[in-house]
Amino acid sequence: MPIVNIQITREGSTPGTTAATAEQKAALIAGVSRLLLDVLDKPLDSTFVVIDEVELENWGRGGLPVPQYREQQRASGSR
């Protein structure tokens, strides 16, 4: 029984949204489950998918909380 844990930041993918939508989460669950079926022949009904949404300020990169890291990248012209 595969268990897949997906961690995403709690921010929207389009302007004005603050989290992944239920439809986006359903698509992730379906896509990951289908991938395990296609690649490892794991039945859909035995695959568990957990999506953890992490507040943006609780996610770090480059030694900084992501909002600060992104600001630093914008200021330096990098991505």
Side-chain angles (χ1 to χ4, degrees):
M1 136 179 81
I3 301 171
V4 178
N5 188 303
I6 300 171
Q7 292 184 318
I8 59 175
T9 55
R10 187 180 306 260
E11 59 183 318
S13 56
T14 57
T17 60
T18 58
T21 66
E23 293 80 14
Q24 289 170 323
K25 292 175 190 177
L28 285 172
I29 292 166
V32 167
S33 299
R34 184 71 203 186
L35 180 64
L36 286 167
L37 174 65
D38 292 346
V39 174
L40 299 176
D41 202 27
K42 298 294 183 179
L44 294 175
D45 62 356
S46 72
T47 299
F48 293 83
V49 180
V50 177
I51 300 172
D52 290 319
E53 289 185 285
V54 179
E55 294 295 336
L56 193 58
E57 59 271 5
N58 294 335
W59 196 284
R61 182 173 179 188
L64 297 169
V66 166
Q68 290 176 7
Y69 178 84
R70 289 179 180 171
E71 183 57 39
Q72 183 183 64
Q73 294 301 299
R74 277 192 291 275
S76 70
S78 305
R79 272 206 96 163

